[in-house]
């Protein structure tokens, strides 16, 4: 089965996904909202994520025997119309996240490497990668992630080391100056960038569980969360009042090294390797968006749904019609509320829904 | 898959790769004027005179990095001036490798250069970790003295300030630190003041070649990107006594007609807020006998094997440390600038407020304790 994946592969991929999107425009946005308290907002966001992830993993454990897919679970537990509505919300999230990621990468390439190109040509290799992910299945992405994981992790660490030594963490004091209410609210209004575990819904039926489910996933989650919080703290400690203006955090952090000032730009190399994780994240989300459409449309295509794949690839052109800022200030700003359903509420209900779906399937089979 | 399909697939991939590769706008390194250093002076029409040390790949030999040329252009703003560099060199000006930004004396002392700081800090290619400094005289003159150093002036300044300054008790700053200091809380910060010091030509094979070195023992203080005052060597030495990352200060003591030179090897500085709204500062200094080639040495030099430093000498040095440190604190109060982050220390406790940001330095009483030990 081309969508089968082991828990270890899933955990590595999850870690890459957590690291893959949080180091672009998010730190600057949070710094604009909360100043030096932005890292606290990230902690709260990860706190909700951690709770939801535990429930989702519990659901995976329950689903181990029956191997029901997310569509079947939702169909059997909350009815088909609700199931399709939820899948539609998932689809919108995935499409928006892909486009925000691609927009950020496009900007990063332009400003960091001084490479300019048009969007369509920029998209060609991305579309090819996404098509590869959709056509070859989740196992292919997981294997690719597994191969590249070491390199990406080394790059992230290399980018971090020097700024970490330079940062004066005392600048984060006093803690909570922005106000705890505002910090909590921001962690909710910026929740769009979190809940990377949502891809797990779409491989629930293909997860091979040998022994542990919780340990590898929670270790990945812990490492990813710690790195993200650390990056945010380093970012605001280093750049202070300038942080909201530096919309490409990783690019700016990589530059910050007194030692490399007279020795060239090795940060460009490590930054390029790290960007691979962003493209893997795009491929994963493209795969999930395709799965959403496939499930919404039903089994009209036996092997491969060309129409669904074409729609997903077409949505990559969205930034040609609306800038990332427009998307953030309109669709994403108001979409946070419906997104909460699938990002935070659904995982909490997932064990219950899985049990219900299992019971109803057994009854139907009898 | 049939052979026909395989060939078609390969051709498709090749075509796609060719289209993608061709569409990325060529930013060939040969088409770039790589700028190593920039100097900014005020021009006669109140615009900018920009001096750039440029490496143009393809113009030299394999050792292209060591050959640079100095280009001087005019412009109404820094942006226009940098575009003019491109016009003069015939290549796109690339700031990604720029290691130093030098502000000429007239420019740094007479102009509010907020727009310049903002331009470079927001420039995507220009490194925030690049060295920013000001100079005695014009930046153009300074860059044109590179020949006397037998190396790139930009690299000489950057290497000196980044790698040597802290070891010889000279604090230094990056663009990021300076930009932040000019916009946060009390809005004061400093830049090293670089000057070219001519020296005697001792090379008989090149008798006409000018020679010299770059000195950076003075600092200029700025507030909101406007010049406040110049700190001389003694005041800089005083400032360095409060900076644990800076070391190497030398002190000379005379005892029994013997000149003893001691050097600071280690320092710990504890700056604590007190209940009166001031500070208790404890500077703990470890010293050892200086090297015979240390500065400030005159007369007979104390033998290196004389390991124990007499208490009298230690006491004398402690007094000197206190004197230079207090001299610096006095200038901080007199010119109302804050390089020791007094305001920041209270911000970390009380949070940001306009009252704190406006509090003058004279309202921070300081109790200074100097401890000295042989290290």
């Amino acid at each position: 089965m081309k969508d089968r994946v082991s828990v270890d592969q899933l955990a590595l991929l999850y870690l890459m996904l957590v690291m893959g999107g949080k180091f672009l425009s998010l730190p600057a946005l949070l710094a604009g909202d909360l100043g030096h308290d932005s890292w606290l907002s990230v902690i709260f966001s990860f706190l909700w994520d951690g709770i939801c992830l535990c429930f989702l993993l519990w659901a995976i454990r329950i689903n181990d025997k029956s191997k029901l897919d997310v569509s079947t679970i939702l169909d059997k537990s909350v009815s088909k119309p609700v199931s399709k509505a939820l899948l539609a919300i998932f689809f919108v999230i995935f499409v928006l996240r892909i486009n925000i990621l691609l927009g950020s990468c496009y900007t990063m390439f332009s400003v960091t490497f001084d490479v300019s190109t048009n969007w369509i040509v920029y998209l060609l290799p991305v579309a090819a990668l996404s098509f590869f992910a959709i056509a070859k299945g989740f196992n292919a992405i997981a294997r690719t992630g597994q191969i590249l994981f070491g390199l990406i992790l080394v790059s992230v660490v290399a980018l971090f080391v020097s700024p970490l030594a330079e940062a004066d963490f005392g600048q984060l004091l006093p803690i909570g100056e922005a106000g705890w209410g505002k910090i909590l609210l921001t962690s909710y209004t910026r929740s769009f960038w979190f809940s990377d575990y949502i891809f797990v819904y779409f491989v629930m039926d293909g997860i091979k569980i040998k022994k542990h489910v919780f340990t590898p996933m929670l270790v990945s989650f812990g490492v990813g969360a710690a790195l993200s919080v650390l990056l945010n703290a380093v970012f605001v400690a280093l750049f202070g009042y300038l942080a909201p203006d530096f919309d490409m955090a990783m690019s700016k952090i990589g530059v910050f090294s007194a030692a490399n000032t007279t020795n060239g730009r090795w940060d460009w190399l490590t930054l390029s390797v790290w960007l691979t994780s962003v493209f893997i994240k795009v491929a994963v989300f493209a795969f999930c968006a395709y799965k959403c459409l496939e499930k919404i449309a039903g089994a009209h295509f036996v092997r491969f749904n060309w129409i669904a794949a074409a729609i997903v690839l077409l949505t990559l052109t969205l930034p040609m019609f609306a800038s990332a800022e427009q998307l953030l200030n309109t669709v994403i700003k108001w979409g946070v509320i419906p997104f909460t359903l699938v990002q935070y509420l659904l995982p909490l209900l997932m064990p219950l829904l899985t049990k219900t779906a299992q019971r109803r399937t057994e009854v139907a089979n009898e | 898959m049939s052979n026909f399909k395989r060939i078609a697939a390969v051709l498709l991939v090749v075509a796609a790769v060719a289209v993608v590769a061709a569409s990325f706008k060529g930013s060939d390194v040969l088409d770039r004027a790589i700028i190593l250093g920039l100097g900014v002076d005020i021009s006669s029409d109140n615009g900018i005179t920009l001096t750039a040390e440029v490496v143009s790949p393809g113009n030299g030999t394999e050792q292209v990095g060591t050959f640079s040329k100095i280009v001087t252009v005019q412009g109404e703003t820094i942006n226009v001036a940098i575009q003019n560099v491109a016009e003069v060199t015939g290549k796109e000006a690339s700031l990604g490798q720029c290691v130093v930004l030098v502000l000429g004396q007239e420019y740094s002392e007479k102009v509010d250069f907020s727009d310049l700081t903002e331009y470079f800090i927001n420039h995507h290619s220009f490194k925030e970790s690049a060295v920013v400094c000001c100079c005695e005289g014009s930046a153009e003159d300074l860059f044109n003295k590179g020949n006397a150093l037998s190396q790139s002036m930009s690299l000489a300044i950057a290497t000196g300030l980044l790698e040597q300054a802290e070891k010889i008790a000279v604090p230094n700053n990056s663009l990021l630190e300076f930009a932040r200091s000019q916009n946060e809380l009390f809005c004061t910060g400093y830049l090293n003041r670089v000057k070219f010091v001519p020296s005697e030509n001792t090379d008989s094979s090149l008798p006409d070649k000018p020679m010299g070195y770059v000195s950076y023992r003075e600092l200029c203080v700025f507030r909101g990107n406007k010049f406040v005052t110049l700190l001389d060597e003694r005041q800089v030495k005083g400032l360095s006594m409060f900076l644990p990352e800076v070391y190497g200060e030398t002190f000379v003591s005379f005892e029994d007609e013997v000149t003893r030179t001691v050097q600071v090897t280690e320092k710990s500085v504890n700056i604590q807020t007190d209940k009166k709204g001031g500070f208790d500062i404890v500077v703990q200094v470890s010293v050892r006998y200086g090297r015979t080639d240390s500065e400030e040495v005159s007369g007979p030099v104390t033998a290196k094997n004389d390991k124990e430093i007499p208490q009298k000498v230690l006491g004398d040095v402690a007094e000197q440390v206190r004197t230079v440190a207090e001299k610096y604190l006095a200038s901080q109060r007199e010119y109302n600038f804050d390089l020791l982050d007094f305001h920041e220390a209270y911000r970390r406790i009380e949070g940001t407020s306009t009252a704190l940001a406006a509090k003058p330095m004279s309202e921070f009483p300081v109790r200074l304790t100097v401890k000295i030990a042989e290290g």
Side-chain angles (χ1 to χ4, degrees), chain A residues 60-361:
Chain A
I60 289 168
R61 173 64 82 188
I62 293 168
N63 193 41
D64 188 29
K65 285 177 188 167
S66 53
K67 299 282 184 202
L68 298 175
D69 66 42
V70 66
S71 169
T72 311
I73 293 171
L74 294 176
D75 284 353
K76 300 263 180 194
S77 57
V78 292
S79 81
K80 282 191 176 178
V82 177
S83 165
K84 286 189 193 299
L86 290 173
L87 288 170
I89 296 173
F90 269 122
F91 177 74
V92 174
I93 292 183
F94 287 126
V95 167
L96 288 173
R97 289 187 77 164
I98 289 169
N99 278 285
I100 294 290
L101 285 172
L102 287 180
S104 299
C105 282
Y106 182 76
T107 312
M108 183 173 267
F109 273 118
S110 300
V111 302
T112 312
F113 304 111
D114 197 19
V115 174
S116 49
T117 184
N118 69 62
W119 187 263
I120 290 289
V121 175
Y122 167 71
L123 278 187
L124 281 177
V126 179
L129 179 69
S130 302
F131 183 78
F132 166 81
I134 293 168
K136 289 289 175 186
F138 196 79
N139 189 257
I141 315 171
R143 289 288 297 147
T144 311
Q146 215 175 357
I147 292 164
L148 295 173
F149 177 79
L151 268 177
I152 292 168
L153 195 67
V154 168
S155 299
V156 172
V157 171
L159 283 164
F160 260 112
V161 170
S162 186
L164 198 61
E166 299 284 342
D168 172 11
F169 290 102
Q171 300 205 0
L172 304 178
L173 298 170
I175 291 174
E177 191 181 2
W180 292 102
K182 193 178 175 189
I183 293 167
L184 281 169
L185 185 66
T186 305
S187 82
Y188 176 66
T189 54
R190 299 295 183 191
S191 59
F192 172 74
W193 272 267
F194 292 85
S195 313
D196 292 301
Y197 50 74
I198 52 173
F199 81 96
V200 176
Y201 287 111
F202 298 89
V203 289
M204 277 184 80
D205 54 331
I207 300 173
K208 291 181 284 184
I209 301 174
K210 281 183 183 169
K211 201 173 176 186
H212 299 292
V213 180
F214 283 83
T215 312
M217 285 296 280
L218 289 179
V219 166
S220 285
F221 170 76
V223 173
L227 280 172
S228 302
V229 171
L230 193 63
L231 179 121
N232 268 275
V234 168
F235 183 65
V236 286
L238 278 179
F239 294 103
Y241 89 102
L242 291 162
D245 298 329
F246 288 172
D247 55 355
M248 291 298 135
M250 202 52 143
S251 173
K252 287 291 174 188
I253 279 211
V255 166
F256 198 84
S257 166
N260 69 15
T261 298
T262 54
N263 296 329
R265 299 296 297 264
W266 65 271
D267 58 293
W268 285 350
L269 183 67
T270 45
L271 190 69
S272 306
V273 176
W274 168 72
L275 276 173
T276 316
S277 67
V278 181
F279 289 112
I280 288 176
K281 189 167 186 169
V282 167
V284 170
F285 286 170
F287 169 84
C288 295
Y290 166 81
K291 283 285 174 189
C292 288
L293 287 183
E294 195 186 48
K295 306 288 184 196
I296 291 170
H300 294 303
F301 289 77
V302 180
R303 289 181 62 193
F304 187 74
N305 193 329
W306 285 97
I307 296 172
I311 292 171
V312 171
L313 296 184
L314 268 179
T315 59
L316 300 180
T317 59
L318 186 61
M320 289 173 67
F321 309 102
S323 69
E325 204 172 335
Q326 279 175 313
L327 289 175
L328 285 172
N329 292 329
T330 53
V331 188
I332 295 169
K333 188 178 177 184
W334 299 110
V336 166
I337 298 160
F339 296 164
T340 306
L341 284 176
V342 295
Q343 282 182 262
Y344 298 119
L345 189 61
L346 191 59
L348 298 179
L349 298 174
M350 213 54 193
L352 182 68
L353 299 181
T354 310
K355 281 224 171 211
T356 310
Q358 276 178 340
R359 201 174 57 245
R360 288 181 183 169
T361 308

Side-chain angles (χ1 to χ4, degrees), chain A residues 36 111-118 121-122 124-125 166 168-174 177 236-242 245-248 251-252 255-265 268, chain B residues 16 19-21 23-25 27 32 92 95-99 121-131 155 158-159 162-163 174 176-177 179-181 183-184 344 347-353:
Chain A
H36 65 78
V111 302
T112 312
F113 304 111
D114 197 19
V115 174
S116 49
T117 184
N118 69 62
V121 175
Y122 167 71
L124 281 177
E166 299 284 342
D168 172 11
F169 290 102
Q171 300 205 0
L172 304 178
L173 298 170
E177 191 181 2
V236 286
L238 278 179
F239 294 103
Y241 89 102
L242 291 162
D245 298 329
F246 288 172
D247 55 355
M248 291 298 135
S251 173
K252 287 291 174 188
V255 166
F256 198 84
S257 166
N260 69 15
T261 298
T262 54
N263 296 329
R265 299 296 297 264
W268 285 350
Chain B
V19 168
V20 171
S23 69
F24 282 96
K25 240 183 204 173
S27 287
R32 290 184 176 207
E92 185 188 349
L95 295 178
Q97 302 286 350
C98 189
V99 289
I121 201 70
N122 287 308
H123 196 286
H124 285 295
S125 296
F126 198 86
K127 290 181 281 192
E128 290 79 34
S129 54
V131 171
L155 292 177
T159 310
L162 284 173
E163 293 168 17
S174 68
L176 178 66
E177 286 161 334
R180 286 191 61 185
S181 73
N183 287 281
E184 291 181 353
E344 172 66 13
R347 186 201 66 77
R348 292 179 185 189
I349 299 166
E350 300 166 1
T352 313
S353 69

